[in-house]
């Protein structure tokens, strides 16, 4: 088991972030967490709405994470939904570099430049919603490619993110899906990887389209 939590997107002062970390440990009745990450560079109400990237606020929240890490309360620290500019500005003053960036990444929505930047900077990329929050399941071209490899669409999607060099974070409430989602020991060809990287963007996440993370600008 690997226990992870997040500094709330709204916590952009040292004091707020520190209080959030301590409150999480207290509520979970744990002495330490395996990892904690800043959920978003902007408070949710401003995502896709404002140009303010909270340079100073993120530095303050990061300092609270660094201190908690140095005190042994957190075993790893990172960020989520950070773009290159957010990472660069954080790293200008950080004493500890972010260890992880957890980002939206799936077939049809692959942040190639960001992934390359993270990999060059030794920041592990975690791909969240690797099955596109479920909305990729009915795409005929993706179904055809999955059939070619003798796998399911979720298996193709998860394998795709692994071959990008990311850590894949699929979610399921179904134990059978959980089992088959882990069976991804096959190889997508370089040619098919290119096709999947350039697959037409799926901009409609159904009922979840209203959530800031699926709004397109994070
Ligand atoms: N950092 C962030 O801002 C952020 C934002 C969003 C999400 N996340 C994280 O990313 C993780 C995944 O997010 P997500 O829910 O969007 O993920 P996802 O893994 O892309 O999609 C989950 C959907 O796929 C279905 N599914 C999974 N395996 C399947 C299978 N083998 N066959 C058929 N359907 C399958 C699930 O239904 P069943 O339950 O029926 O299998 C569910 O509807 C979550 O743990 C979440 O914490 C992080």
């Amino acid at each position: 088991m690997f226990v992870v939590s997040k500094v709330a997107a709204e916590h952009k002062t040292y004091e707020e972030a520190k209080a959030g970390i301590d409150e999480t440990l207290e509520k979970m009745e744990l002495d330490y967490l395996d990892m904690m990450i800043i959920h978003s560079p902007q408070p949710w109400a401003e995502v896709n709405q404002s140009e303010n990237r909270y340079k100073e606020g993120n530095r303050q929240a990061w300092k609270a994470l660094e201190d908690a890490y140095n005190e042994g309360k957190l075993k790893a620290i990172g960020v989520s939904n950070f773009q290159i500019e957010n990472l660069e500005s954080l790293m200008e003053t950080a004493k500890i570099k972010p260890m992880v960036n957890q980002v939206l990444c799936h077939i049809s929505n692959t942040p190639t430049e960001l992934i390359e930047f993270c990999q060059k900077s030794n920041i592990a990329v975690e791909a969240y919603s690797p099955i596109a929050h479920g909305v990729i399941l009915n795409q005929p071209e993706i179904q055809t490619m999955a059939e070619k490899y003798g796998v399911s669409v979720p298996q193709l999607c998860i394998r795709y993110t692994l071959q990008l060099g990311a850590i894949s974070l699929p979610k399921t409430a179904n134990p059978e899906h959980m089992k088959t989602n882990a069976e991804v020991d096959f190889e997508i060809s370089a040619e098919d990887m290119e096709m999947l990287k350039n697959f037409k963007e799926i901009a409609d996440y159904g009922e979840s389209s209203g959530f800031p993370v699926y709004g397109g600008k994070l």
Side-chain angles (χ1 to χ4, degrees):
M1 198 190 313
F2 192 80
V3 183
V4 181
S5 188
K6 295 171 182 132
V7 171
E10 291 71 26
H11 290 174
K12 298 299 183 201
T13 65
Y14 179 87
E15 290 73 23
E16 285 168 338
K18 180 181 169 15
I21 296 164
D22 290 340
E23 189 187 333
T24 303
L25 285 167
E26 202 181 315
K27 279 191 178 159
M28 296 183 82
E29 298 182 9
L30 292 172
D31 296 328
Y32 70 87
L33 295 183
D34 293 305
M35 186 166 78
M36 203 143 172
I37 57 184
I38 299 177
H39 205 160
S40 159
Q42 294 172 295
W44 292 126
E46 294 185 42
V47 171
N48 301 318
Q49 308 292 332
S50 144
E51 293 307 313
N52 185 348
R53 301 303 286 180
Y54 285 83
K55 196 170 175 170
E56 183 50 32
N58 285 314
R59 288 175 175 177
Q60 292 220 10
W62 187 250
K63 172 90 174 68
L65 284 174
E66 287 178 326
D67 287 353
Y69 174 81
N70 286 329
E71 288 164 25
K73 294 177 182 174
L74 305 172
K75 298 295 178 194
I77 53 177
V79 295
S80 178
N81 296 307
F82 270 46
Q83 300 303 313
I84 294 174
E85 61 163 307
N86 308 123
L87 289 166
E88 282 177 337
S89 91
L90 196 68
M91 289 194 289
E92 274 172 30
T93 54
K95 293 203 170 61
I96 303 170
K97 220 168 41 175
M99 297 168 193
V100 160
N101 189 14
Q102 187 179 114
V103 296
L104 179 67
C105 174
H106 57 74
I107 295 168
S108 96
N109 188 340
T110 307
T112 311
E113 261 182 64
L114 177 61
I115 292 173
E116 280 170 10
F117 177 88
C118 289
Q119 288 173 340
K120 265 193 235 138
S121 312
N122 257 331
I123 299 169
V125 175
E126 288 190 338
Y128 74 71
S129 301
I131 311 168
H133 205 54
V135 299
I136 205 162
L137 295 169
N138 299 322
Q139 294 288 322
E141 299 96 321
I142 303 300
Q143 285 172 337
T144 303
M145 191 183 291
E147 278 164 25
K148 177 177 131 181
Y149 287 97
V151 298
S152 67
V153 169
Q155 285 169 321
L156 184 77
C157 291
I158 293 163
R159 180 71 206 180
Y160 169 75
T161 54
L162 295 176
Q163 282 188 220
L164 292 173
I167 296 155
S168 199
L169 297 181
K171 179 174 163 183
T172 178
N174 179 322
E176 182 54 28
H177 291 170
M178 200 177 287
K179 183 176 169 294
T180 54
N181 287 355
E183 293 163 2
V184 287
D185 190 12
F186 64 99
E187 185 80 21
I188 303 171
S189 71
E191 193 187 330
D192 286 343
M193 281 298 289
E194 277 314 301
M195 183 273 187
L196 295 174
K197 272 184 204 169
N198 297 305
F199 190 71
K200 63 177 187 281
E201 190 185 350
I202 299 171
D204 183 356
Y205 290 87
E207 286 176 2
S208 300
S209 292
F211 285 113
V213 291
Y214 301 119
K217 286 197 197 156
L218 256 173

